[in-house]
Amino acid sequence: MAEPFRDFAYALLHALRNLMPIILVVVAFQALLLRHWPEGGLAMAGGLLIVALGVALFLRGLELSIFPVGKRLANQFTRRGSMPLLMLFGFAMGFSAVVAEPALIAVAEQAKEISSGRIDALTLRLIVATSVGLVMALGVFRVILGHPLHWYMIIGYVLVVMITFFAPEEIVGLAYDSGGVTTNIVTVPLIAALGIGLASSIQGRNPLIDGFGLVALAVMVPMISVQLYGILVFGDTASAVGNAVLIDTQAKVDAPGGMLAMILELFAMLRDVLPIILVILFFQYLILKRPMANPLRVATGFALVIVGLYAFVIGLKLGLFPIGRNMAGQLIALDSWLWVYLFAFCIGFATTMAEPALLAVGQQAEEAAAGKIQGSVIRLLVALGVAIGITLGVHRIISGDSIHHYIIGGYLLVIVLTFLAPRYIVALAFDLGGVTTSEVTVPLVTALGIGLASQIEGRNVLIDGFGLIAFASIFPIVTVMGYAILMDRVAKTRDKTP
């Protein structure tokens, strides 16, 4: 019994460590600048602890169930060498993992509340999950055939930019945010392991060039599908959703209900995880026709995943959402916008430096690159990119500029850098743009954007409140590619110098 408790304690410490940068930044601003303890501060602190507990249970459940079973299935399908089976497995795993993604659940629920139900949370999640499933199948196809990733990315982002011209402004920020939150605590390890595992097992493939890229594709395609969904939802009449909707609906989600509400929410979490369970059972027993190793252990893991998701959502409502809204209101009340920009920069940099998915991808990249890339440098570049992106996104909300111009300009810059960057960095740079926003960062950043939009006169919460996550996904690609281009030029100059 000692080992399970030790593993859970490690997961809890891991979750608390991820929360620590947010706590330090918020406490520093409260103590040194605002000098005021926020109303309901104890409830927020309790919410943060519940978030940490939920993430710990969730991670422990993943380690007992989804991760080992998913890896075994991937290895068995790779040994079979069947492309259709691998593509079908990739679709199923991509779909089922994203449906249960905590950060996507948080963003979808916020979108539903703010749009007065016009955007259906479950529909949004199903659209995003289907997109990621198709991306996984496409990514498996690309790795097997050895196609260069940059052509997929360039064509995809040109398509994204074209659709953005026609998409209603109410959906653009949400669409880009939906792409940014698809690759997170559940999906990144599964997607990265599948891509690198495939590239390592196929002769003639380079794990660094061919193994990375699935995460980047999983970020890009939901941007297209959600914008198309927005054209259907908002195409007939303009949205009149305003700040009153946020105020009215927020009271409904700030506190969990009674015992019946708890039971209903637990069943909702079971519904979220059920697709993963069904996919695993289907492939294990009907396709491979093999018994599952340690079924009791796997069942215990799924139970922990469900309970952890429930605690995570409750903690969001009590902790991270109120902190983001309160900080936005307090900083706006100061005389200078400079403090809002500084808070956005600090939150972006600090939380990214502690991002576990970034640590994992950076380590894998360092091993695959054989000395070309240092994991510590990658973390600094990505953290700087996220900080710049969130600060620029906050400026857009303050200035009231259209998100179209910023997003289109950002991705046009990415496309240009893709042509200039050395080939070894392209897939990794795009993947790093998809792993920058954690299950802790996303709710806080979303709440910050919504809080700013709801308290600045003339802003529409649905149009202006979303989009910060998108900025946090674009600019790490820019900083990593820019650094690689610079180092490549320096190396060539050094080689030419006698």
Side-chain angles (χ1 to χ4, degrees):
M1 289 296 290
E3 186 177 349
F5 282 112
R6 186 176 67 248
D7 292 338
F8 174 73
Y10 177 79
L12 183 59
L13 287 174
H14 178 81
L16 288 171
R17 187 189 68 185
N18 293 342
L19 275 173
M20 196 53 62
I22 291 176
I23 295 172
L24 290 176
V25 171
V26 170
V27 169
F29 271 78
Q30 291 286 351
L32 301 177
L33 179 64
L34 302 170
R35 298 179 183 177
H36 171 68
W37 183 253
E39 186 178 346
L42 288 177
M44 293 180 199
L48 288 177
L49 289 176
I50 294 172
V51 165
L53 180 64
V55 170
L57 289 169
F58 187 76
L59 284 173
R60 187 66 191 132
L62 290 179
E63 290 168 2
L64 291 173
S65 57
I66 296 173
F67 287 168
V69 173
K71 286 179 182 178
R72 281 197 294 269
L73 286 172
N75 290 335
Q76 289 166 359
F77 282 123
T78 303
R79 285 199 296 269
R80 282 197 172 192
S82 170
M83 184 186 289
L85 271 179
L86 271 171
M87 291 178 67
L88 180 61
F89 176 69
F91 173 86
M93 290 305 294
F95 177 90
S96 57
V98 171
V99 163
E101 173 54 57
L104 179 60
I105 293 172
V107 170
E109 290 298 328
Q110 288 280 289
K112 178 182 177 181
E113 298 291 343
I114 293 169
S115 66
S116 298
R118 289 188 75 176
I119 296 172
D120 181 70
L122 181 59
T123 302
L124 180 66
R125 287 166 52 202
L126 288 174
I127 289 171
V128 173
T130 302
S131 302
V132 175
L134 292 172
V135 159
M136 290 291 286
L138 179 65
V140 167
F141 176 79
R142 183 194 73 83
V143 173
I144 291 173
L145 296 185
H147 292 163
L149 175 73
H150 60 280
W151 291 118
Y152 284 76
M153 300 307 300
I154 290 169
I155 293 170
Y157 277 117
V158 167
L159 187 59
V160 169
V161 169
M162 289 174 59
I163 293 176
T164 302
F165 276 112
F166 301 100
E169 57 184 357
E170 292 88 351
I171 203 68
V172 173
L174 177 61
Y176 282 97
D177 279 3
S178 299
V181 302
T182 54
T183 48
N184 216 295
I185 189 172
V186 182
T187 50
V188 166
L190 285 173
I191 292 174
L194 181 60
I196 294 170
L198 272 175
S200 301
S201 62
I202 298 174
Q203 189 174 3
R205 300 291 175 268
N206 184 311
L208 182 61
I209 296 173
D210 301 302
F212 290 97
L214 286 178
V215 175
L217 290 169
V219 171
M220 178 183 66
V221 176
M223 298 176 182
I224 298 172
S225 57
V226 173
Q227 287 189 92
L228 294 174
Y229 171 63
I231 291 172
L232 293 176
V233 171
F234 295 103
D236 297 332
T237 57
S239 172
V241 178
N243 296 341
V245 174
L246 177 70
I247 297 167
D248 290 342
T249 57
Q250 199 58 55
K252 301 174 188 175
V253 298
D254 272 347
M259 184 60 69
L260 179 60
M262 287 181 61
I263 294 172
L264 290 175
E265 288 205 42
L266 276 171
F267 272 108
M269 296 305 154
L270 175 61
R271 181 196 64 190
D272 296 335
V273 179
L274 191 60
I276 301 179
I277 299 173
L278 293 176
V279 164
I280 287 174
L281 292 177
F282 173 78
F283 280 95
Q284 187 73 50
Y285 290 104
L286 296 182
I287 303 298
L288 293 174
K289 297 179 180 177
R290 293 185 179 182
M292 184 178 294
N294 266 322
L296 181 60
R297 179 185 174 96
V298 172
T300 303
F302 276 116
L304 290 176
V305 165
I306 294 166
V307 175
L309 273 177
Y310 174 74
F312 175 81
V313 171
I314 294 300
L316 290 185
K317 295 173 183 178
L318 291 173
L320 286 172
F321 285 156
I323 285 174
R325 292 194 307 272
N326 282 3
M327 288 299 297
Q330 289 175 309
L331 292 169
I332 287 173
L334 298 175
D335 294 334
S336 174
W337 290 114
L338 174 64
W339 302 113
V340 182
Y341 292 129
L342 183 61
F343 179 75
F345 187 92
C346 291
I347 280 290
F349 189 88
T351 54
T352 305
M353 286 297 292
E355 170 55 49
L358 177 59
L359 290 169
V361 172
Q363 184 178 353
Q364 287 177 332
E366 190 170 346
E367 292 171 0
K372 285 185 178 179
I373 296 170
Q374 291 183 349
S376 57
V377 174
I378 287 294
R379 286 174 60 205
L380 284 170
L381 290 169
V382 173
L384 180 63
V386 172
I388 292 171
I390 292 179
T391 306
L392 189 61
V394 164
H395 171 71
R396 181 196 70 83
I397 297 173
I398 292 171
S399 64
D401 295 336
S402 170
I403 193 173
H404 291 67
H405 303 141
Y406 286 79
I407 293 292
I408 291 171
Y411 278 115
L412 287 176
L413 176 60
V414 166
I415 290 170
V416 171
L417 291 175
T418 302
F419 281 109
L420 300 175
R423 292 282 76 85
Y424 74 85
I425 201 68
V426 172
L428 175 62
F430 277 109
D431 273 7
L432 289 169
V435 301
T436 52
T437 43
S438 74
E439 73 283 354
V440 174
T441 313
V442 165
L444 180 68
V445 171
T446 302
L448 176 64
I450 291 170
L452 286 172
S454 64
Q455 296 182 50
I456 298 176
E457 189 176 352
R459 302 294 175 269
N460 182 298
V461 178
L462 189 58
I463 296 172
D464 300 302
F466 291 97
L468 287 182
I469 299 165
F471 283 88
S473 298
I474 294 174
F475 284 89
I477 305 174
V478 174
T479 53
V480 172
M481 282 191 183
Y483 174 78
I485 292 169
L486 179 63
M487 290 298 99
D488 193 50
R489 296 289 166 86
V490 169
K492 287 179 180 177
T493 303
R494 191 185 300 125
D495 292 339
K496 289 179 182 178
T497 304

